[in-house]
Amino acid sequence: MKLSLPALAFAGLTAAAPVPAQEAPPDAARLEAMTCREFLALDAAGQATVKAAMQAHASGEPPPGAPLPAPPAGGAASARVVEDRTGAAEGPDTAATEMAAAPGGAAAPGVAGGQNESGKVAPGGTEASVTDEGGDLRLLAMRTSCEGGPDALALNALRAAFGNSL
Amino acid sequence: MAAPFSKTDDSVVVIIGTGAGGGTLANELAQKGISVVALEAGGRYLPEDYVNDEWASFAQLAWLDTRRSDGSFRLARDFAGLPSWIVKAVGGTTTHWAGASLRFQDHEWKALTNYGRVEGASLLDWPLDAAEMDPWYTLAEAKMGVTRTNGQPGLPGNTNFLVLEKGAKAVGYKEVHTGRMAINSIEYGGRQACQQTGFCFQGCKWGAKWSTAYTEIPLGEETGNLEVRERCHAARIEHDDKGRVTGVVYFDASGVEQRQAARIVCVAGNTIESPRLLLNSASSMFPDGLANSSGQVGRNYMRHVTGSVYSIFERPVRMWRGTTMAGIMQDEARHDPSRGFVGGYELETLSLGLPFMAAFLDPGAWGREFTSAIDGYENMAGMWIVGEDMPQETNRVTVDTAVVDQFGLPTPVVHYDDHPNDVAMRDHAYERGIAIHRAAGAVRSLPTPPYPSTHNIGTNRMSDNPRDGVVNRWGQTHDIPNLFVSDGSQFTTGAAENPTLTIVALAIRQADHIAREMGAGNL
Ligand SMILES: Cc1cc2nc3c(=O)[nH]c(=O)nc-3n(C[C@H](O)[C@H](O)[C@H](O)COP(=O)(O)OP(=O)(O)OC[C@H]3O[C@@H](n4cnc5c(N)ncnc54)[C@H](O)[C@@H]3O)c2cc1C
Ligand code: SF4
């Protein structure tokens, strides 16, 4: 069933089709297969690189120059993934917890990059957030989308982070 | 194309109510080729009709017929005529709900066994367990597109979540994320992703949040096997001299009394209206109401241990931006009697708009203390407590024959007293909630009393033994084989989790059972 909402006029934008595999650069397969567990296992710089590459990939744009980071030593299993009660993957602290304290900011896509009441464009449409997180709001949105859902595709977390604006 | 069925067609299944339970059941049965007439007291409102304004939306969709609260809980004083927040519309309360979709924890299916006897509480084990429910939960999660299940990514966190996350981690909690939400984080089921507009409680204008109003109901209607009769208020259920139900008498949109014949009747009017309907259907054969040989109809009303913590920070939070409830801290949901109570609770992010905040922050309050809190609204973060309350036989829905509604029907009275376990849990949760916000930098915290009940459960409880409850493990009444209960009133105990995912899973399971039994000629 398709909803006959005017709002759904935007629907086609929410999940931009990935570049078909045969035309895609060699990293594309890795980006498409990367899980949230793997994404969260990367350090902050690695996550930023992956996010930029995924953003380009999902928008059908050429990849940015930076090479994708290697998976962390010990593999994805070393990531500390905030897990739900029914899951199991708990490991030593690395990326996920680092990110929580790292630069970030208000993450929700609908508010990110918005115009705040004082008229200046502020991260996440907020003044400096009480969380003291600044920086890449979409990355923070992707991180919060991924946490607690280690098996989701990181590319889908990127889509969730961008909402309609990818 | 919706099928119009004759009112004398006694081959149809009649479902009363089209919310989480009734709407899901209606579609599931229709998909199996079973003819269904769904009677719905409210009108049909779709996303384009919803209003992004708290009180206007409440006036549009909430159930405002006469009801009365009674008992020692604060709600009876603060909102005497509004014990619960339930919706009267096609889609029921799934239009206003927030979408939090959690499974019960394994031990919660067997509360009596795991908690032991608690004085004053009527704890009972469900006749079901986690293993039996697992496949039904999986189906429900797939149907509803629940985030963090079936590969769906989580929703991105808003600032209210970031505050919760920062504080919770600072005090040592681990299970913190943006929740399992029946809100699309990416396009799914022909519906688009959440736009973070923040009006989840008012009906989602984007259709990103699952609601039977625009998912299950139209899907069922497309089969040609489902007819939804809007603005049709069921007044009583009739039976034959063998004690089997035969039809439902209702008032149509013009207030004219009608009767729909039925092979099977499924009651899904929510935890207050469902027992009311059974009680109002009393007859010479069933003088205490239908399915009430145990005297349990209306008893063990539960509403979860609730309450909120709002805190004011030095800088703006603007908690109203983004999803209303996509944030959860689950570490306290475990059963750990060393905290001074049995069962557990979840802490979930919550934001109210300014109009609701003024009404609910401290009902009846005034003066500088109150106005300065409202002045701090922009800098406020909020969270909601959802904990397992103790079932008590005396917490119950009865009908007042002296006060009748617009159709001349006796009206419901909701009696509720907190159990000491509930009070201990709420106090613990307030303390932990404040600690979380303080750890994130809060300068002032405001523990806030419960609002009109959004989680209404119990009153037609499920039990193995007919003496202990109203329905069996299939939601079929112990007394009348072709009468089912299909909503949250079936709950034996409440668990710490928001109830709707379980209501939907039970409805899918019940549809399977009804179809099988009809096929075998047993119903
Ligand atoms: C603001 C809010 C937020 C919530 N958030 C969450 C959440 O995040 N997660 C969660 O799990 N739950 C949440 N809930 C609770 C959730 O909405 C309910 O648990 C769920 O909808 C109950 O399903 P139900 O089938 O029992 O009843 P409902 O969904 O209420 O459906 C009952 C239907 O029956 C109709 N009806 C009643 N009597 C009659 C009659 N006599 N004749 C005809 N029709 C009748 C009503 O009009 C209504 O449409 C929330 C509720 C509210 C109000
Ligand atoms: S925040 Fe998302 S789910 Fe809530 S009303 Fe807006 S679009 Fe719908």
Side-chain angles (χ1 to χ4, degrees):
Chain A
M1 186 214 54
K2 262 287 194 218
L3 267 180
S4 58
L5 298 175
L8 285 185
F10 297 104
L13 298 173
T14 56
V19 178
Q22 65 273 25
E23 297 165 25
D27 282 339
R30 180 161 172 229
L31 293 176
E32 282 182 18
M34 186 180 287
T35 63
C36 278
R37 178 183 283 106
E38 292 165 81
F39 175 77
L40 292 174
L42 299 169
D43 63 14
Q47 290 183 355
T49 305
V50 165
K51 183 218 133 203
M54 279 189 176
Q55 189 178 343
H57 177 65
S59 316
E61 287 164 13
L68 291 183
S78 70
R80 182 193 179 284
V81 178
V82 179
E83 186 52 283
D84 63 279
R85 278 189 302 261
T86 58
E90 285 280 333
D93 274 20
T94 56
T97 41
E98 260 172 55
M99 277 300 291
V111 298
Q115 191 91 357
N116 73 9
E117 281 79 348
S118 61
K120 67 179 192 282
V121 175
T126 69
E127 311 272 350
S129 150
V130 290
T131 60
D132 285 328
E133 294 181 281
D136 187 340
L137 299 175
R138 301 293 187 189
L139 184 57
L140 183 59
M142 207 178 150
R143 191 265 292 166
T144 51
S145 169
C146 263
E147 286 194 333
D151 298 326
L153 290 176
L155 197 54
N156 279 339
L158 177 98
R159 291 189 177 114
F162 275 78
N164 277 354
S165 43
L166 196 60
Chain B
M1 192 51 176
F5 292 102
S6 151
K7 296 196 186 77
T8 54
D9 184 346
D10 61 4
S11 71
V12 301
V13 175
V14 175
I15 300 176
I16 297 158
T18 58
T24 302
L25 180 68
N27 179 31
E28 289 288 317
L29 290 176
Q31 298 295 334
K32 294 173 196 298
I34 295 170
S35 303
V36 178
V37 172
L39 301 174
E40 170 52 58
R44 195 180 295 239
Y45 303 88
L46 291 172
E48 56 267 35
D49 305 315
Y50 300 147
V51 189
N52 283 353
D53 174 321
E54 288 179 318
W55 286 115
S57 172
F58 193 79
Q60 180 189 45
L61 295 176
W63 185 287
L64 299 172
D65 294 10
T66 308
R67 276 177 182 160
R68 183 157 60 81
S69 329
D70 176 59
S72 61
F73 73 146
R74 183 168 165 182
L75 214 55
R77 187 189 83 200
D78 292 342
F79 301 99
L82 196 69
S84 57
W85 177 358
I86 289 174
V87 167
K88 183 198 268 197
V90 172
T93 317
T94 66
T95 52
H96 269 180
W97 81 313
S101 299
L102 305 172
R103 293 184 179 205
F104 278 21
Q105 300 166 79
D106 292 7
H107 68 269
E108 290 170 330
W109 294 102
K110 305 290 173 193
L112 177 59
T113 301
N114 291 313
Y115 304 165
R117 294 209 176 276
V118 175
E119 197 182 329
S122 47
L123 283 170
L124 193 68
D125 288 346
W126 284 69
L128 308 171
D129 61 23
E132 180 167 355
M133 285 304 292
D134 177 67
W136 306 106
Y137 269 138
T138 302
L139 287 171
E141 286 161 345
K143 178 191 279 294
M144 299 162 84
V146 177
T147 56
R148 296 190 168 80
T149 71
N150 301 303
Q152 294 290 105
L155 287 159
N158 63 1
T159 42
N160 201 20
F161 170 72
L162 294 176
V163 169
L164 175 84
E165 184 190 45
K166 182 179 181 184
K169 287 184 173 167
V171 300
Y173 290 128
K174 298 221 159 21
E175 290 183 61
V176 194
H177 55 69
T178 61
R180 290 167 183 259
M181 306 295 296
I183 293 178
N184 283 355
S185 53
I186 52 174
E187 188 181 350
Y188 182 77
R191 294 177 293 113
Q192 72 161 319
C194 173
Q195 300 304 304
Q196 301 285 344
T197 47
F199 287 97
C200 313
F201 277 6
Q202 281 65 50
C204 176
K205 288 187 80 66
W206 301 87
K209 180 186 77 174
W210 179 86
S211 167
T212 54
Y214 45 80
T215 60
E216 306 306 303
I217 300 290
L219 282 174
E221 287 173 330
E222 272 173 28
T223 66
N225 298 320
L226 168 63
E227 179 187 355
V228 176
R229 284 188 206 148
E230 305 157 29
R231 301 184 195 278
C232 288
H233 185 110
R236 66 180 183 278
I237 301 166
E238 294 189 329
H239 61 83
D240 61 18
D241 55 9
K242 295 190 195 69
R244 290 177 70 90
V245 296
T246 53
V248 179
V249 174
Y250 65 94
F251 291 95
D252 69 14
S254 313
V256 177
E257 192 175 293
Q258 307 280 0
R259 183 181 190 279
Q260 174 62 51
R263 175 171 173 176
I264 294 169
V265 174
C266 300
V267 182
N270 202 317
T271 283
I272 297 177
E273 293 306 310
S274 287
R276 175 191 181 206
L277 184 60
L278 296 178
L279 294 171
N280 280 347
S281 301
S283 63
S284 53
M285 185 181 258
F286 300 113
D288 297 323
L290 289 190
N292 198 19
S293 65
S294 61
Q296 291 288 318
V297 170
R299 292 188 186 274
N300 305 301
Y301 169 67
M302 294 168 283
R303 59 173 314 281
H304 275 151
V305 171
T306 64
S308 312
V309 175
Y310 291 98
S311 297
I312 299 172
F313 293 76
E314 275 173 1
R315 284 177 286 159
V317 177
R318 303 196 177 112
M319 64 175 173
W320 65 86
R321 294 178 171 182
T323 41
T324 305
M325 201 172 258
I328 192 163
M329 194 291 286
Q330 301 196 279
D331 296 56
E332 297 286 2
R334 69 195 189 282
H335 167 57
D336 173 8
S338 72
R339 293 173 298 181
F341 52 86
V342 300
Y345 62 87
E346 316 268 355
L347 291 179
E348 300 173 353
T349 52
L350 174 65
S351 152
L352 296 183
L354 195 49
F356 271 10
M357 187 59 77
F360 295 122
L361 184 64
D362 191 1
W366 61 292
R368 190 63 199 136
E369 180 80 1
F370 178 68
T371 54
S372 65
I374 295 294
D375 281 348
Y377 179 70
E378 190 173 27
N379 292 14
M380 225 180 237
M383 69 175 83
W384 196 50
I385 303 160
V386 195
E388 178 163 11
D389 58 340
M390 289 295 102
Q392 300 178 71
E393 287 218 331
T394 47
N395 284 348
R396 61 188 295 204
V397 174
T398 51
V399 289
D400 186 347
T401 49
V403 180
V404 295
D405 68 5
Q406 64 271 36
F407 304 112
L409 302 168
T411 52
V413 181
V414 181
H415 178 98
Y416 191 91
D417 302 307
D418 278 325
H419 186 280
N421 196 78
D422 306 342
V423 176
M425 182 186 287
R426 185 179 292 118
D427 287 347
H428 190 272
Y430 278 147
E431 189 273 312
R432 298 316 299 155
I434 292 169
I436 288 171
H437 275 168
R438 286 277 154 88
V443 292
R444 181 178 171 196
S445 290
L446 305 143
T448 301
Y451 318 122
S453 312
T454 53
H455 294 179
N456 298 278
I457 44 183
T459 70
N460 288 313
R461 74 184 339 194
M462 193 182 270
S463 66
D464 256 336
N465 189 326
R467 224 184 28 224
D468 298 332
V470 179
V471 299
N472 67 14
R473 63 200 324 278
W474 303 108
Q476 182 178 31
T477 61
H478 288 300
D479 296 352
I480 302 174
N482 64 339
L483 176 62
F484 286 76
V485 174
S486 316
D487 58 12
S489 69
Q490 294 171 82
F491 278 36
T492 310
T493 53
E497 288 70 32
N498 315 52
T500 305
L501 178 72
T502 303
I503 295 171
V504 172
L506 288 171
I508 301 172
R509 179 175 171 276
Q510 186 180 75
D512 195 62
H513 174 76
I514 288 175
R516 199 173 43 247
E517 291 297 297
M518 284 176 78
N522 298 331
L523 275 175

